[in-house]
Amino acid sequence: MIRRLLRTLATALLSGFLVFATLFVAAWVNHRGDYNFSSNQRFSRFMLGHAASMIREYQKTQGSLPEKLTDLPQVRESKGSLEEVLMDGWDRPLQYHPQETSYELFSFGRDGKPGGIGLDADLYLDKRNRELAIVTFSQYLQEDDDSNVKRNTFLGVATEAGTLVALAIFISFWMAEKSEDKKSGTPAQKLKLSQTILYVGVTVLISSAVGMLLLPVHLSTGH
């Protein structure tokens, strides 16, 4: 009795974990380059575009590039400091380096240092460094700030799906093994190992497929 219960419980937990792991990894593989995957990176790129627009307007009216971002009229006229007007997603000032006819405008990323990969990569307005700025799996796995990576959103979805699958398999297996033949009154024959693997495999595949179809909805809505 106890062995049968433990076997059924182990099968259910393994199935639930497989669904959880599949959805969690699939979220990173399929959506790591999406615009909404990291809110802080998205906001940083938005602010880079906003600052570039200010610089173009200044250059058009003044005939030259501003020496520093605090020379921009919008910054001078604002009541707040530069950090409150032109900052990246990590509350750090944007980096601006003017040259004779061009300029560099970027964010140092999460770590606030030059270089890096994933969340720590430097962010530019153009597509430069875009591949390096894709969130790495280790960052996705360890980062618990949902504004850096929407990990918690997918973690909740994967956990719910895995729990439901584990519960469904446990109940169905337990009821099957507890059922009795109405005519003979003897316990029903236990599912063979091959049948168990097939049943679990089909359940995991279908659940994972449905979950992956719903992942884009959770990414775009945040729910």
Side-chain angles (χ1 to χ4, degrees):
M1 178 71 174
I2 299 298
R3 291 179 61 185
R4 186 169 59 187
L5 175 63
L6 292 176
R7 183 177 65 249
T8 303
L9 181 60
T11 302
L13 291 176
L14 177 60
S15 303
F17 176 77
L18 289 175
V19 171
F20 165 82
T22 300
L23 293 180
F24 191 62
V25 174
W28 174 75
V29 172
N30 294 328
H31 304 294
R32 56 185 175 153
D34 288 357
Y35 187 69
N36 288 326
F37 199 67
S38 173
S39 299
N40 285 342
Q41 285 186 336
R42 179 188 63 191
F43 181 79
S44 298
R45 291 190 176 103
F46 170 80
M47 291 306 298
L48 288 170
H50 186 48
S53 177
M54 292 183 184
I55 294 172
R56 284 195 301 269
E57 184 177 345
Y58 181 95
Q59 188 176 22
K60 184 177 180 180
T61 57
Q62 302 296 324
S64 62
L65 291 170
E67 293 185 5
K68 50 188 180 299
L69 292 180
T70 50
D71 292 338
L72 295 171
Q74 296 91 332
V75 177
R76 290 202 314 268
E77 295 170 3
S78 66
K79 296 180 180 180
S81 63
L82 172 64
E83 287 77 8
E84 295 173 330
V85 178
L86 294 177
M87 60 183 181
D88 62 16
W90 296 274
D91 296 329
R92 299 190 187 95
L94 299 179
Q95 302 299 310
Y96 172 68
H97 301 291
Q99 300 169 5
E100 291 185 4
T101 58
S102 62
Y103 62 90
E104 288 282 2
L105 182 66
F106 58 95
S107 163
F108 278 140
R110 181 184 63 172
D111 62 355
K113 302 175 183 178
I117 60 174
L119 293 171
D120 298 329
D122 300 341
L123 298 176
Y124 295 86
L125 188 58
D126 54 25
K127 294 184 178 180
R128 187 180 3 162
N129 236 26
R130 186 61 62 94
E131 290 297 321
L132 281 177
I134 292 178
V135 178
T136 66
F137 184 72
S138 61
Q139 291 172 345
Y140 173 67
L141 190 63
Q142 299 172 17
E143 181 61 58
D144 59 359
D145 186 348
D146 218 36
S147 61
N148 272 328
V149 182
K150 283 193 175 296
R151 188 199 74 159
N152 294 340
T153 301
F154 296 126
L155 185 62
V157 174
T159 301
E160 291 173 4
T163 301
L164 289 175
V165 168
L167 185 61
I169 288 182
F170 178 81
I171 292 175
S172 61
F173 273 41
W174 184 248
M175 290 182 65
E177 293 195 0
K178 289 288 291 182
S179 65
E180 294 184 354
D181 190 296
K182 293 182 179 180
K183 294 182 179 180
S184 63
T186 58
Q189 185 178 5
K190 292 190 298 184
L191 291 173
K192 295 180 180 179
L193 179 60
S194 59
Q195 293 175 317
T196 301
I197 294 175
L198 178 62
Y199 180 80
V200 170
V202 170
T203 303
V204 169
L205 285 175
I206 294 176
S207 302
S208 300
V210 172
M212 283 188 281
L213 289 175
L214 295 176
L215 283 176
V217 177
H218 288 274
L219 177 66
S220 59
T221 63
H223 301 300

